[in-house]
Amino acid sequence: MSTENEGNEGNAAEAVPSVPSAPPVPADAPQGSPGSPPTPAAEPVAEPPATPPHTPHAPHTPPPNPHAPQSAADANWPPPPPPAVPAYASHGAGAGGPAWGAPQPYAPEAPRRRGMGGLVAAVAAAALIAGGIGGALGYWAADRNGSGSTTVSASTDPQELKRDPGTVAGVASKALPSVVTIDAQGGDGEGGTGTGFVYDKEGHILTNNHVVASAADSGQLTATFSNGKKYGAEVVGRAQGYDVAVLKLKNPPSGLTPLSLGNSDQVAVGDSTIAIGAPFGLSNTVTTGIISAKNRPVASGDGSGGSNSYMSALQTDASINPGNSGGPLLDARGAVIGINSAIQSTGSSVGQTQAGSIGLGFAIPINQATNVAQQLIKTGKPVYPVIGATVSMEEKAGGAVISNQGVGGTAAVSQDGPADRAGLKAGDVITKFNDTTIDSGPTLIGEIWTHKPGDRVTLTYTRDGKTDTAEVTLGERNGDS
């Protein structure tokens, strides 16, 4: 599992490739007469990303054989002239080269092989003849009706072009003005690009901790809105364990519109999702998908060697890439149901430092993120619910195993803590948290952190081969100590 880190492991220039100001332009078209063999075009040169855009090639047809027998089409229907090059073709790179999307040069027809080729030619000739008859009859009918055109123009009334609120276009249009692209530059030159969104009218921006970690202590943070206006920002508070941070715009504009917050507990698998962010620096990008799973245990790091974060995440197949971190995951109504935070990676290949979307993205449920944000705005520090026991972080251990000792040789079960009062001991294996199956320590922590201090939960555990339950009232820990 890799946090969809916005370039914190290197400098900003390496982590986020520059965005080309225009689409890549094909190389100059081959020169020479139509009958001469084409000269291979030089490969286009573009700024990185690591994977260049794929440009499809039109199929090439070889020149005709003058000695081949002519069909009716060959004898009576001359080949069409080369298509006219539109005006925009003159803006391509290179003298006379076709612009992006310009039609390819006309290539004469290939020589036909005998046998099956004759059948194809005969069918083509029949099609042309039928087309000619149909065209003549159509013209005769149009002339008899007194009409010179049968085309119908779409309405240009702006009211008819308005997108309904429930469509993806309608949701995106309403949400984009409240989403910002965050540029974080640390004092040591490290940094990257992420996303955030307007949390309230006072100018607070909600995002991921790992988006701002490199610039939190001594760096510079800016937030750019979809209209291009840029504002300085500062960190109000951040929670490494939750991977949540709150920023405040230094001079917030008037009329800020916070995104409406949904209820992530009511989300169902199969619900539609819309993600907004700046993947690889491409601001204001909108992608769609569904909720693929709920309560997915995810552990991720901030890319700087700091503490890991744990979440019981919403999984989505909406395309999420480096740069989407901190951006909103919306439902079909446009309400925020999560904060995009991490993506599954199959591993980086040689020459690549970041992985792209494979349809496995993870978001912090908004109910949890809201609780954290309110605490950060109020005190500047996070508050974590705890059971008062140290558990092993080994994956796939069949449960969360309470360690034999805690950090620095301390007791694994804090004296008079929640676990101690519930009768839990070192060596116990916690297999359920309420009704949720626990397969490892990170999964247990992720489930605990969906609750608040003071919540009462039921833990199922095994000891000496026997299964038992314990009622635990969650305690609290202040700060990221």
Side-chain angles (χ1 to χ4, degrees):
M1 181 68 58
S2 67
T3 296
E4 172 262 298
N5 194 345
E6 277 59 77
N8 290 335
E9 60 261 51
N11 58 43
E14 293 174 346
V16 181
S18 60
V19 182
S21 59
V25 180
D28 292 346
Q31 303 297 319
S33 63
S36 61
T39 303
E43 295 184 359
V45 178
E47 293 296 325
T51 304
H54 172 67
T55 303
H57 295 278
H60 173 68
T61 306
N65 183 352
H67 301 291
Q70 290 188 330
S71 65
D74 295 327
N76 299 319
W77 297 91
V85 179
Y88 60 75
S90 62
H91 299 289
W100 179 260
Q104 296 296 319
Y106 171 73
E109 189 178 356
R112 296 187 180 91
R113 293 184 298 174
R114 300 182 183 274
M116 186 60 70
L119 176 61
V120 174
V123 172
L128 285 171
I129 293 171
I133 295 173
L137 291 175
Y139 174 80
W140 176 80
D143 184 61
R144 294 275 293 182
N145 291 332
S147 172
S149 174
T150 58
T151 61
V152 178
S153 298
S155 172
T156 56
D157 184 354
Q159 293 297 323
E160 295 188 17
L161 295 176
K162 186 177 180 181
R163 272 69 178 178
D164 293 333
T167 63
V168 173
V171 170
S173 176
K174 183 178 179 181
L176 276 168
S178 299
V179 179
V180 298
T181 299
I182 297 173
D183 183 60
Q185 296 298 325
D188 56 0
E190 293 188 356
T193 302
T195 308
F197 60 92
V198 177
Y199 179 72
D200 58 27
K201 294 183 178 181
E202 286 69 44
H204 288 108
I205 303 294
L206 195 54
T207 186
N208 283 143
N209 170 66
H210 75 262
V211 170
V212 303
S214 63
D217 297 325
S218 59
Q220 184 177 5
L221 290 165
T222 59
T224 305
F225 284 81
S226 60
N227 60 6
K229 293 185 178 180
K230 184 178 295 187
Y231 299 86
E234 58 189 358
V235 176
V236 172
R238 57 195 187 102
Q240 294 178 6
Y242 292 120
D243 197 15
V244 172
V246 176
L247 308 182
K248 178 74 181 295
L249 300 178
K250 293 181 179 179
N251 295 296
S254 60
L256 285 175
T257 304
L259 289 182
S260 59
L261 305 180
N263 185 344
S264 52
D265 290 340
Q266 296 179 350
V267 171
V269 173
D271 281 351
S272 297
T273 58
I274 301 171
I276 303 180
F280 296 104
L282 300 172
S283 300
N284 311 317
T285 296
V286 178
T287 57
T288 62
I290 63 169
I291 292 293
S292 306
K294 296 179 60 177
N295 305 317
R296 186 71 78 191
V298 175
S300 59
D302 63 7
S304 62
S307 300
N308 283 339
S309 60
Y310 303 93
M311 63 182 117
S312 182
L314 297 175
Q315 180 181 324
T316 181
D317 66 348
S319 181
I320 296 175
N321 288 284
N324 276 104
S325 273
L329 184 68
L330 309 174
D331 62 16
R333 303 169 302 158
V336 183
I337 55 175
I339 301 178
N340 300 318
S341 181
I343 57 174
Q344 181 74 38
S345 173
T346 57
S348 299
S349 60
V350 176
Q352 288 185 310
T353 58
Q354 293 176 326
S357 172
I358 58 172
L360 293 172
F362 304 97
I364 303 168
I366 194 60
N367 290 9
Q368 176 182 346
T370 299
N371 293 335
V372 178
Q374 291 172 347
Q375 191 66 42
L376 293 176
I377 292 172
K378 182 179 179 180
T379 68
K381 294 182 179 180
V383 175
Y384 297 93
V386 296
I387 63 171
T390 301
V391 296
S392 170
M393 290 291 102
E394 291 182 8
E395 298 282 352
K396 307 301 181 184
V401 182
I402 299 180
S403 304
N404 293 323
Q405 64 179 16
V407 179
T410 60
V413 178
S414 302
Q415 185 176 1
D416 201 32
D420 188 33
R421 291 194 294 268
L424 294 172
K425 298 180 179 180
D428 290 348
V429 182
I430 300 172
T431 57
K432 276 191 176 182
F433 182 93
N434 290 334
D435 294 328
T436 301
T437 300
I438 302 300
D439 60 2
S440 66
T443 302
L444 175 63
I445 295 174
E447 285 299 318
I448 292 173
W449 286 358
T450 62
H451 290 70
K452 296 180 181 179
D455 286 353
R456 191 171 180 82
V457 300
T458 300
L459 299 181
T460 302
Y461 65 96
T462 60
R463 179 190 299 168
D464 299 328
K466 297 181 180 180
T467 300
D468 206 346
T469 61
E471 299 294 322
V472 178
T473 300
L474 299 176
E476 70 175 55
R477 187 192 83 201
N478 292 292
D480 280 306
S481 57

